[in-house]
Amino acid sequence: MYRIAICDDNPEYVDFLEEKIKSSKKYTDEMSISKYYSGTSFVESLDMTFNLVILDMQMENIDGLDAAFELRKHSEDTVIVFCTGEISPKPEHFNVNPFRYLLKSYSDDRLSQEIELALDKMISYQKDYSISIVSDGKFERISIDGILYVSRTKRGTLFNIYDYKTKEKHEIKCNQKLPEIYEALKDYCFEYGHNSYIINFSSVIRVSKEIIELKDGTVLNLSRSKRDIFVNRFAKYAGKNFKRGMR
């Protein structure tokens, strides 16, 4: 069973989104929808587990971002979609790892497409995405979601791993070269930020012209030669033209 929550202080828009979800070809009888009309009522319901949450960014008392922070205290796996009239996301929004931004000005067709993507993401999160690597002559499987970035070493690569539940970071040495690892991970939203490392977009909270900041506080240089490709791919991942926020 998949549990979906819609939270917006406009009841008519909540009903509209509910109908859009139910009319999607991705919607099945295994999905249930809960509706909330304030950030406060949503936060009070967090004893329940949700697989997908659509949050209005602008609500009184507890807004969408505050509600998302509370949600992340209970679940790292819930797919978060922000619904907003704003054009550009702010750096702090990426601390809660949102999947998409729905603009209320979207056409019906565009909104339907975005909802299908969100439902696809929700379903995919129930699967175990991992990569098999060779470490010290032995095969080891690593969860892709936990990888912050992979860096080049003299003898292979180094996986920098972050456990979002314990907030602990550790490293795993790998015998394979960085280009080989990149080929295995590029379709999972990894990209070169520098010739010496590839970065998991889901771990990024801020991008500027010269640096990339990750969720664990790590700051990496964004090389000039990799900047355009990295920013363009990250913009698509974030669902926005993030170049406008470059500074």
Side-chain angles (χ1 to χ4, degrees):
M1 175 67 72
Y2 298 95
R3 296 185 60 87
I4 301 169
I6 306 171
C7 181
D8 194 298
D9 54 8
N10 183 341
E12 291 183 359
Y13 195 71
V14 171
D15 291 342
F16 173 69
L17 287 179
E18 180 185 27
E19 288 303 314
K20 278 292 182 183
I21 292 172
K22 288 185 174 180
S23 64
S24 169
K25 61 183 180 182
K26 302 291 183 179
Y27 184 79
T28 71
D29 292 337
E30 294 183 349
M31 300 178 187
S32 65
I33 300 175
S34 300
K35 298 185 288 186
Y36 302 93
Y37 306 110
S38 70
T40 301
S41 62
F42 170 73
V43 169
E44 289 174 349
S45 75
L46 288 179
D47 55 330
M48 294 189 292
T49 300
F50 295 107
N51 304 103
L52 169 64
V53 173
I54 301 176
L55 289 169
D56 182 17
M57 290 298 298
Q58 296 177 317
M59 295 182 287
E60 292 185 3
N61 298 321
I62 298 179
D63 63 17
L65 182 59
D66 290 337
F69 273 117
E70 289 299 316
L71 171 62
R72 281 291 179 246
K73 293 178 182 179
H74 295 77
S75 172
E76 288 288 343
D77 298 327
T78 301
V79 177
I80 295 177
V81 174
F82 283 135
C83 186
T84 178
E86 297 179 3
I87 295 177
S88 297
K90 298 178 181 179
E92 57 266 29
H93 294 172
F94 291 94
N95 288 329
V96 296
N97 194 22
F99 172 61
R100 307 290 281 192
Y101 287 79
L102 296 182
L103 291 183
K104 293 187 176 182
S105 59
Y106 279 162
S107 66
D108 280 357
D109 287 345
R110 175 66 185 276
L111 182 59
S112 295
Q113 292 173 4
E114 294 293 330
I115 285 175
E116 287 197 4
L117 288 172
L119 293 175
D120 272 338
K121 186 67 173 179
M122 176 187 72
I123 294 169
S124 72
Y125 258 39
Q126 306 306 306
K127 301 176 182 178
D128 177 27
Y129 287 111
S130 59
I131 180 175
S132 295
I133 66 169
V134 179
S135 178
D136 294 328
K138 299 179 181 179
F139 283 99
E140 185 167 347
R141 293 190 68 81
I142 300 175
S143 172
I144 290 175
D145 286 341
I147 302 171
L148 292 169
Y149 66 101
V150 185
S151 55
R152 186 192 308 271
T153 65
K154 289 183 178 180
R155 296 185 178 181
T157 49
L158 188 68
F159 280 72
N160 294 268
I161 311 294
Y162 188 68
D163 189 320
Y164 288 96
K165 293 183 179 179
T166 64
K167 308 300 181 184
E168 294 180 351
K169 181 179 174 181
H170 64 280
E171 299 173 342
I172 298 177
K173 295 179 181 179
C174 175
N175 302 117
Q176 292 146 285
K177 301 296 184 181
L178 190 59
E180 181 182 351
I181 297 299
Y182 174 70
E183 287 300 316
L185 290 176
K186 65 180 181 180
D187 291 337
Y188 295 95
C189 298
F190 281 71
E191 187 52 68
Y192 281 97
H194 190 279
N195 284 332
S196 59
Y197 44 78
I198 59 174
I199 300 169
N200 186 350
F201 286 154
S202 70
S203 71
V204 176
I205 62 171
R206 186 168 72 92
V207 180
S208 73
K209 290 182 179 179
E210 297 180 350
I211 65 169
I212 302 164
E213 184 177 350
L214 307 185
K215 289 180 179 179
D216 71 322
T218 297
V219 177
L220 300 171
N221 290 327
L222 177 58
S223 71
R224 182 178 300 178
S225 63
K226 303 297 183 183
R227 184 183 303 155
D228 287 346
I229 293 176
F230 186 93
V231 170
N232 286 335
R233 284 201 67 201
F234 184 70
K236 292 179 181 179
Y237 167 83
K240 306 294 282 180
N241 186 354
F242 204 71
K243 280 186 174 180
R244 296 181 183 179
M246 295 286 288
R247 58 186 180 186

